[in-house]
């Protein structure tokens, strides 16, 4: 009963925290749409301010998460983000510069990095191995619902109240997530398999360096980890392109400055993600992981090409839903493989390394897409990316590049 209560509370935290994340993301993108509509360069700057800190601090944070109490880490990350975002309207009121929003994205991303790996590393400690796939699908669905509420609520608050209200709402949501997580701080008994960092800073640096080398060795030895990480990196590289080209394409198609149109497209994407998560749960015993990846790439390619050809909100919404259906099963399957293949003493470092890898792929793809956009139109980029992914899906299926070793 205690395990079931823990899982229910943890699921509530996932839902509420992801709601806060998406409200934050939507509000920051909405501010760019209000101040500099259609600018892929400003969207790239937001991406860099949001993702670069994750690359810088991943080795330190991953090693610390393996040593810290994970529920306490999650509570602290939520509280600090709530306090930071509450101050953003006041800072912008005094500075009147767009960099007030970039600074908020930069600082909160450090605590995003603490939250995400701690959440992924904690799940195998409270869920039996045989239930991981089912629970991952459930948590992914809860996160998607939080994302859906964030997109719908973000557009509604932004357009019908004010952007100031959006930031205050984000702070309240993060505070609620911290409150829901508090019982787990007292209930959970951490599995301490990693010694604490030495007090001497020189020894601490040596331990951190050794931790990074151990994680790299583990990745070299585990085919499942390598395949899962490379797949998720590819998934987020596509996300990087869509974050600057896809969103700015939506800004150009729909009425400029109105957040609700972007909210509609985001809602369609989220509904597709929910459907994909349900499909992953239904077919978990009948579908090979490598088949899931190849079919997902093929379907995502078709959807992205369709978005590139769309010139009104309705087709954009339809293709966004198809894209969501293709993404969910790929992420759920690879996340479960990573959790199953990671030794308990390495979970924090593995998932922190995952965060760094996917963010690096996200940033590189976003930067490259912005550069290409100076020579090629946004619809052409989306159609080209779609054709590439569709071809990649066919190649993966025919060559079985991602075939995993039998456990």
């Amino acid at each position: 009963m205690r395990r079931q209560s823990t899982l229910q509370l943890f699921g509530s935290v996932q839902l509420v925290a992801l709601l806060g994340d998406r409200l934050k993301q939507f509000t920051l993108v909405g501010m760019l749409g209000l101040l500099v509509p259609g600018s892929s360069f400003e969207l790239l700057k937001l991406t860099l301010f949001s993702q670069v800190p994750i690359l810088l601090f991943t080795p330190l944070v991953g090693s610390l998460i393996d040593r810290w109490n994970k529920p306490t880490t999650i509570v602290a990350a939520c509280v600090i983000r709530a306090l930071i975002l509450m101050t953003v309207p006041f800072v912008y009121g005094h500075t009147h510069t767009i960099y007030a929003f970039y600074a908020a994205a930069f600082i909160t991303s450090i605590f995003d990095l603490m939250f995400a790996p701690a959440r992924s590393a904690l799940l195998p400690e409270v869920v039996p191995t045989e239930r991981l796939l089912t629970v991952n699908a459930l948590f992914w669905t809860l996160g998607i619902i939080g994302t859906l509420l964030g997109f719908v609520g973000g557009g509604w608050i932004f357009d019908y109240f004010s952007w100031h209200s959006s930031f205050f709402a984000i702070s309240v949501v993060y505070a609620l997530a911290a409150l829901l997580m508090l019982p787990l701080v007292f209930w959970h008994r951490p599995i301490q398999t990693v010694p604490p960092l030495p007090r001497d800073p020189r020894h601490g640096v040596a331990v951190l360096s050794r931790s990074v080398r151990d994680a790299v060795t583990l990745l070299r030895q585990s085919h499942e980890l390598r395949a899962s990480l490379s797949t998720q990196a590819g998934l987020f590289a596509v996300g990087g392109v869509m974050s600057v080209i896809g969103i700015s394409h939506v800004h150009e198609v729909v009425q400029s400055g109105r957040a609700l149109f972007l909210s509609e497209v985001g809602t369609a994407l989220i509904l597709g993600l929910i459907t994909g998560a349900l499909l992953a749960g239904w077919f978990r015993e009948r579908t090979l992981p490598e088949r899931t990846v190849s079919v997902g790439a093929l379907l995502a390619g078709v959807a992205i090409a369709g978005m590139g050809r769309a010139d009104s909100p309705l087709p954009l919404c339809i293709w966004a839903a198809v894209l969501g259906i293709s993404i969910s099963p790929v992420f759920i399957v690879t996340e479960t493989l990573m959790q199953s293949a990671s030794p308990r003493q390495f979970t924090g470092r593995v998932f922190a390394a995952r965060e760094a890898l996917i963010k690096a792929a996200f940033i590189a793809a976003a930067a490259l897409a912005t550069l290409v956009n100076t020579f090629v139109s946004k619809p052409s980029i989306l159609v080209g990316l779609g054709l590439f992914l569709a071809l990649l899906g066919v190649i993966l299926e025919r060559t079985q590049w991602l075939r995993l070793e039998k456990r």
Side-chain angles (χ1 to χ4, degrees):
M1 292 179 63
R2 173 63 59 83
R3 172 175 285 178
Q4 187 65 26
S5 300
T6 299
L7 195 58
Q8 290 172 353
L9 269 178
F10 198 14
S12 301
V13 173
Q14 167 84 347
L15 173 64
V16 176
L18 263 293
L19 169 60
D21 289 346
R22 296 305 169 254
L23 277 173
K24 177 187 70 174
Q25 180 185 13
F26 186 91
T27 301
L28 291 172
V29 171
M31 287 306 302
L32 296 187
L34 185 65
L35 299 175
V36 282
S39 173
S40 59
F41 181 68
E42 293 298 331
L43 284 167
L44 174 63
K45 287 166 65 176
L46 177 61
T47 298
L48 293 176
F49 277 104
S50 301
Q51 311 299 343
V52 167
I54 294 175
L55 299 180
L56 296 177
F57 296 106
T58 287
L60 175 63
V61 171
S63 188
L64 292 176
I65 287 174
D66 281 333
R67 292 168 168 84
W68 286 349
N69 182 285
K70 296 178 182 66
T72 303
T73 302
I74 291 173
V75 170
C78 291
V79 169
I80 295 172
R81 288 182 292 180
L83 295 174
I84 291 171
L85 292 167
M86 187 180 295
T87 67
V88 171
F90 303 105
V91 174
Y92 182 75
H94 284 84
T95 62
H96 298 287
T97 173
I98 197 172
Y99 284 91
F101 305 108
Y102 292 149
F106 184 93
I107 298 171
T108 55
S109 69
I110 299 173
F111 299 97
D112 293 343
L113 174 60
M114 292 184 178
F115 179 90
R119 178 198 61 206
S120 295
L122 179 60
L123 198 58
E125 295 184 11
V126 298
V127 177
T129 302
E130 64 274 10
R131 292 186 60 198
L132 265 180
L133 180 61
T134 301
V135 174
N136 271 319
L138 173 62
F139 270 53
W140 175 255
T141 304
L142 289 173
I144 292 169
I145 294 173
T147 300
L148 172 62
L149 296 175
F151 275 112
V152 175
W156 179 65
I157 296 172
F158 199 97
D159 276 353
Y160 289 100
F161 290 89
S162 68
W163 64 266
H164 305 77
S165 301
S166 294
F167 280 103
F168 295 142
I170 299 165
S171 298
V172 171
V173 170
Y174 276 135
L176 177 59
L179 186 64
L180 290 171
M181 194 70 192
L182 273 179
L184 274 73
V185 174
F186 303 101
W187 291 354
H188 179 62
R189 295 294 178 265
I191 302 174
Q192 184 67 27
T193 56
V194 181
L197 288 174
R199 294 183 179 275
D200 188 333
R202 292 172 298 178
H203 293 167
V205 171
V207 170
L208 286 174
S209 300
R210 186 166 59 251
S211 297
V212 172
R213 290 195 301 269
D214 290 343
V216 171
T217 301
L218 176 64
L219 292 177
R220 289 175 177 173
Q221 294 173 348
S222 175
H223 179 67
E224 291 186 347
L225 281 178
R226 291 198 307 274
S228 298
L229 283 171
S230 60
T231 301
Q232 290 196 3
L235 192 65
F236 277 80
V238 173
V241 176
M242 299 303 292
S243 71
V244 293
I245 303 301
I247 292 177
S248 56
H249 177 57
V250 173
H251 281 159
E252 291 179 349
V253 170
V254 301
Q255 181 182 350
S256 177
R258 294 285 293 174
L260 276 179
F261 290 111
L262 181 61
S263 179
E264 290 173 0
V265 178
T267 299
L269 174 68
I270 302 310
L271 292 175
L273 290 170
I274 294 175
T275 303
L278 294 175
L279 291 174
W282 289 336
F283 294 102
R284 62 183 181 274
E285 302 295 340
R286 289 172 282 178
T287 305
L288 297 173
E290 57 270 19
R291 178 67 52 78
T292 301
V293 173
S294 59
V295 173
L298 178 60
L299 188 59
V302 174
I304 292 172
M307 293 183 72
R309 298 287 296 172
D311 56 2
S312 62
L314 180 59
L316 280 172
C317 289
I318 293 173
W319 288 118
V322 176
L323 180 61
I325 292 173
S326 68
I327 290 174
S328 280
V330 175
F331 188 87
I332 290 170
V333 167
T334 53
E335 185 81 355
T336 303
L337 284 171
M338 287 177 61
Q339 290 171 341
S340 301
S342 301
R344 291 291 173 85
Q345 69 271 24
F346 282 102
T347 51
R349 278 163 284 180
V350 167
F351 285 102
R354 186 273 304 274
E355 291 298 310
L357 181 62
I358 63 178
K359 300 306 182 185
F362 189 96
I363 292 171
L368 179 61
T370 304
L371 177 62
V372 173
N373 187 218
T374 59
F375 307 100
V376 182
S377 68
K378 296 178 181 67
S380 298
I381 293 174
L382 294 176
V383 171
L385 175 62
L387 293 175
F388 170 76
L389 286 175
L391 179 61
L392 178 63
V394 174
I395 293 174
L396 291 176
E397 178 66 22
R398 299 288 295 177
T399 61
Q400 300 180 346
W401 284 353
L402 293 176
R403 180 165 293 280
L404 303 173
E405 299 167 343
K406 292 185 178 180
R407 293 183 60 82

